[in-house]
Amino acid sequence: MKFERAYCEELNRVITPYIARELYFNEDSQFYGKKLSFLCEDKECRKTLIAVGIYLQKRTKRALHFRSKDALEHTCYENNIIGGHEGKKIGNDDPFKVTKYPTELILDPPKSGNPKVGGVDIDDDEGNKPSKTSNSIGSGSEIKETRYRIRSFEHLIDCYLNGDKKVLEAMEFTINGKTKKFYSFFKKINYYLDEKGLVYYGEVSGIKKYGENYKIYFKDKAWVENAYRTVSIYIDKELINKFGKRKIFKEQLEDLSNVDDKKAICYFVGVYPEVIEYEFNKNKKKSAQVTIKDLRHLVLTYDEI
């Protein structure tokens, strides 16, 4: 059985795997580098759960989750209390699918009053207790909508890669005040000119270091100003140094810059490419560059690790 939330003994509360990952890799966390203990969130069950993917440095396409040691032990499943779901493991594939879908990604959470866990701001989740809003239509009729807000960009990417396509095709989602159908938010980097305010992604062709700064280059070029232009993401060293998960992030960049045969997909949100002019071999050239502002809004996934 697999679960999307778990009770954490050290925190004495139910958390998502994205909070667990943040606490483990965030160097400002009280639990940095420490593996937590997870139990079934049902108070009457509380059987041991195992973290899946949470402690891996590199993210694969598989969604983070928890799984049981023995499904037969879970009284919550027998009584249909908790939404665990089963799946047969075939080789290295895991059939886990996300079933709880957020309705909004919060890019800029309030700077004050944020709940802190283990010394760091929670990067996921307004969604432990989804709020309901009611709208009256006509006389005596009412529609209830469940709002499930998240702060973790990783959580959103897992939904995109591992969610039920039929559900997501019909579902509306909100980012930074913009609301669209879920899949309409995802745009390949070579078509970024189609619309601002989306999630852009593409295969990484390489990473170059400029002193202590980095540039992530996309494989696909974009047709901009009557020519195909290279698209890249510029990452300043100061931004990395301020990032809680700076060590793991730098290790990923270094690994990609030294190895050519690893396929990685880069996703980003909250920023938009701009055309820049630079000099190369005494000739002026143009490219499209993204200057990332918050490393929490950039995710790298790998086909293999």
Side-chain angles (χ1 to χ4, degrees), residues 18 102 105 124 150 152-161 173 175 182 185-186 199 269:
Y18 308 96
L105 174 67
D124 201 20
I150 60 171
S152 170
F153 188 41
E154 285 187 280
H155 192 161
L156 176 61
I157 299 306
D158 275 354
C159 290
Y160 175 69
L161 295 175
F173 193 74
I175 299 177
F182 183 88
F185 264 110
F186 292 82
V199 175
V269 70

Side-chain angles (χ1 to χ4, degrees), residues 68-83:
S68 60
K69 286 187 174 181
D70 185 354
L72 298 177
E73 293 181 351
H74 283 258
T75 56
C76 61
Y77 181 69
E78 294 174 2
N79 299 327
N80 199 29
I81 297 173
I82 300 296

Side-chain angles (χ1 to χ4, degrees), residues 98-163:
V98 177
T99 61
K100 296 182 177 69
Y101 302 111
T103 58
E104 182 176 358
L105 174 67
I106 301 174
L107 292 181
D108 299 305
K111 293 183 179 180
S112 60
N114 287 348
K116 287 196 174 185
V117 176
V120 298
D121 289 336
I122 297 176
D123 253 359
D124 201 20
D125 125 288
E126 304 249 336
N128 276 330
K129 294 180 180 179
S131 59
K132 290 186 176 181
T133 59
S134 300
N135 299 316
S136 296
I137 301 176
S139 178
S141 62
E142 184 179 71
I143 295 177
K144 291 186 177 180
E145 298 177 345
T146 300
R147 297 173 63 189
Y148 180 6
R149 296 172 172 174
I150 60 171
R151 300 176 186 174
S152 170
F153 188 41
E154 285 187 280
H155 192 161
L156 176 61
I157 299 306
D158 275 354
C159 290
Y160 175 69
L161 295 175
N162 300 276

